[in-house]
Amino acid sequence: MSLVKLSIKGISYSQTQNGAYALILNEVDGDRKLPIVIGAFEAQSIAIALEKEIKPPRPLTHDLFKNFADRFDIVVKQVIIHKLVDGVFYSSIICERDKIEEIIDARTSDAIALALRFNSPIFTYKNILDKAGIYLNSNPADTTTDSEDIDDILSNPETFGHENESNLSARTYATHSVQELHDLLIEAVENEDYEKAAKIRDEISKRES
């Protein structure tokens, strides 16, 4: 089976499905997106890793794993989303130490959070993308993912957060300038409020994409 390389488009949260999060992956050489429902903690960890200039005052769990791996010369070479069963994605982390390669089973959200920290490529198999890949709003003038499609994706029962809080945050951050949002992001990270940081980063991404 052929592998398809993926990139991270971003993280979306539903305006109607209790603030559930979805990680949206892009097909690098195509137009399809692979949406994966993830937990709030993993969404925060991925969002912080995407914001390269922001460093938490203390290491998050995935940062700790990266520090541990660096200390013992373990390298994450790539992540492969290798299976889809009943709507659940299964992933493997391909690691190497002393030229010996190991394959470690992992939740997809954890695997991607680590791939970001190691600057490792993310792949899936073509048959998984054929089965679960979707086409979202591709209008270049619209920087947001089609909300109805996202809400359908996030109708998965494993949802997180509070809808009213998410809606209020989105409206509040929309009134700030990009520079003010960057300042708020730094403040949120320093206070270790990573859920707030993830939402601020979503707003920054909308403005700068």
Side-chain angles (χ1 to χ4, degrees):
M1 292 182 289
S2 61
L3 287 172
V4 179
K5 190 173 183 179
L6 302 170
S7 63
I8 297 176
K9 175 178 175 62
I11 299 171
S12 293
Y13 57 88
S14 172
Q15 298 298 321
T16 61
Q17 297 292 336
N18 294 326
Y21 292 89
L23 174 66
I24 310 298
L25 303 176
N26 274 335
E27 179 183 16
V28 170
D29 295 320
D31 298 322
R32 288 175 295 183
K33 309 289 187 290
L34 189 66
I36 301 174
V37 177
I38 62 175
F41 172 78
E42 290 77 16
Q44 294 160 21
S45 182
I46 290 170
I48 291 297
L50 288 169
E51 190 64 43
K52 300 295 185 182
E53 297 179 0
I54 302 299
K55 298 294 183 183
R58 295 185 296 174
L60 303 179
T61 301
H62 298 107
D63 297 321
L64 177 61
F65 185 98
K66 173 66 163 59
N67 295 339
F68 182 90
D70 288 344
R71 181 65 59 90
F72 292 95
D73 296 322
I74 300 169
V75 177
V76 172
K77 298 186 66 177
Q78 62 183 3
V79 163
I80 300 177
I81 303 171
H82 63 84
K83 186 168 65 174
L84 174 61
V85 178
D86 296 330
V88 178
F89 292 90
Y90 293 77
S91 293
S92 295
I93 301 173
I94 314 302
C95 302
E96 184 179 273
R97 181 174 183 266
D98 294 335
K99 298 183 179 180
I100 299 175
E101 192 171 274
E102 299 285 350
I103 300 175
I104 300 175
D105 180 49
R107 295 188 306 170
T108 297
S109 54
D110 288 328
I112 291 174
L114 290 174
L116 281 169
R117 287 161 169 81
F118 283 89
N119 295 315
S120 305
I122 302 165
F123 297 93
T124 191
Y125 289 109
K126 183 179 181 297
N127 66 320
I128 292 178
L129 195 59
D130 290 341
K131 181 178 180 180
I134 62 174
Y135 292 92
L136 297 177
N137 191 341
S138 58
N139 181 358
D142 187 352
T143 60
T144 60
T145 304
D146 186 271
S147 60
E148 291 184 1
D149 286 338
I150 289 297
D151 284 341
D152 287 342
I153 294 162
L154 295 173
S155 61
N156 186 294
E158 294 182 6
T159 58
F160 302 81
H162 301 282
E163 177 185 353
N164 292 338
E165 182 181 346
S166 297
N167 290 340
L168 178 60
S169 296
R171 290 195 298 270
T172 299
Y173 300 140
T175 64
H176 289 81
S177 68
V178 173
Q179 182 57 54
E180 288 172 336
L181 289 171
H182 279 289
D183 292 340
L184 287 172
L185 180 60
I186 293 171
E187 180 182 349
V189 172
E190 289 177 347
N191 293 331
E192 301 187 33
D193 188 346
Y194 299 118
E195 182 172 1
K196 180 179 179 181
K199 292 172 183 176
I200 295 171
R201 193 194 177 283
D202 285 346
E203 182 64 29
I204 293 173
S205 297
K206 290 178 185 178
R207 307 276 191 92
E208 295 183 343
S209 59

